[in-house]
């Protein structure tokens, strides 16, 4: 906390980033998720997932937004199939101003709490899928619960009334 004399005091509210990122903190559902999904696939190939996103767009998103979502969905589905626990379930909703896609598997998700927030820097091949997803979509959330790990990707208006 800043003081009038130019100094500062610790407010006691600081949380270490690693601790903060590993806390179970569910993201509020997008209201469109309260409706039936337009698309629901179990264990889709990345190619099938990309095709479904393109088919659902119907001119809603600008070309860059659509391409970004297609890339992100492909990366997330690939990661879930490779690193998650089956089944992998993709759900897609279309709202008047956005497309929302969730990818869920029964695994625990990435072990690195910074996965997706920073590019992988260990020199290994791969490891950039979640980071690319964050760069390609308007909003990305992760959720862990007793049923597994879910990533929600939003392209278009990422703001919705809660």
């Amino acid at each position: 906390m800043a003081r009038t004399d130019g100094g500062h005091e610790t407010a006691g509210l600081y949380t270490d980033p690693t601790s903060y990122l590993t806390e179970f903190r569910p993201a509020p559902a997008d209201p469109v998720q309260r409706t039936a999904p337009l698309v629901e696939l179990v264990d889709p190939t990345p190619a099938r997932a990309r095709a479904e996103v393109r088919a659902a767009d119907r001119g809603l998103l600008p070309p860059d937004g659509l391409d970004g979502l297609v890339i992100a969905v492909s990366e997330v589905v690939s990661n879930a199939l490779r690193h998650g626990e089956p089944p992998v379930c993709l759900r897609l909703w279309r709202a008047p101003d956005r497309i929302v896609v969730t990818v869920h598997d029964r695994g625990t998700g990435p072990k690195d709490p910074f996965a997706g927030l920073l590019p992988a820097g260990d020199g290994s091949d791969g490891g950039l899928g979640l980071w690319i997803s964050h760069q390609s979509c308007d909003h990305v959330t992760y959720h862990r619960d007793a049923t597994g790990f879910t990533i929600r990707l939003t392209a278009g208006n990422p703001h919705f009334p809660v």
Side-chain angles (χ1 to χ4, degrees):
M1 225 180 302
R3 294 190 315 242
T4 57
D5 66 3
H8 71 279
E9 313 177 358
T10 303
L13 300 175
Y14 175 80
T15 302
D16 175 72
T18 302
S19 296
Y20 180 82
L21 292 170
T22 55
E23 290 175 8
F24 288 96
R25 185 183 331 275
D30 185 305
V32 74
Q33 289 179 269
R34 295 184 196 121
T35 65
L38 180 65
V39 174
E40 192 162 7
L41 304 173
V42 176
D43 294 328
T45 64
R48 173 80 188 275
R50 290 190 301 267
E52 293 292 345
V53 171
R54 288 201 181 279
D57 175 61
R58 299 190 317 257
L60 173 67
L61 300 173
D64 287 349
L66 176 59
D67 289 344
L69 182 60
V70 167
I71 290 167
V73 166
S74 185
E75 291 291 336
V76 168
V77 167
S78 294
N79 282 349
L81 291 169
R82 180 176 296 131
H83 304 292
E85 293 182 25
V88 172
C89 183
L90 177 144
R91 291 181 178 92
L92 181 149
W93 294 264
R94 187 177 191 281
D97 59 350
R98 66 191 174 282
I99 294 177
V100 176
V101 178
T102 62
V103 177
H104 175 85
D105 70 76
R106 291 191 181 155
T108 59
K111 302 209 182 336
D112 178 1
F114 294 95
L117 301 176
L118 301 170
D122 63 4
S124 64
D125 289 339
L128 294 174
L130 290 177
W131 184 77
I132 289 169
S133 297
H134 275 272
Q135 305 308 304
S136 303
C137 289
D138 294 304
H139 194 239
V140 178
T141 64
Y142 302 156
H143 176 74
R144 290 178 176 92
D145 63 20
T147 68
F149 181 71
T150 303
I151 296 179
R152 182 177 65 210
L153 307 167
T154 303
N157 181 11
H159 306 288
F160 52 85
V162 181

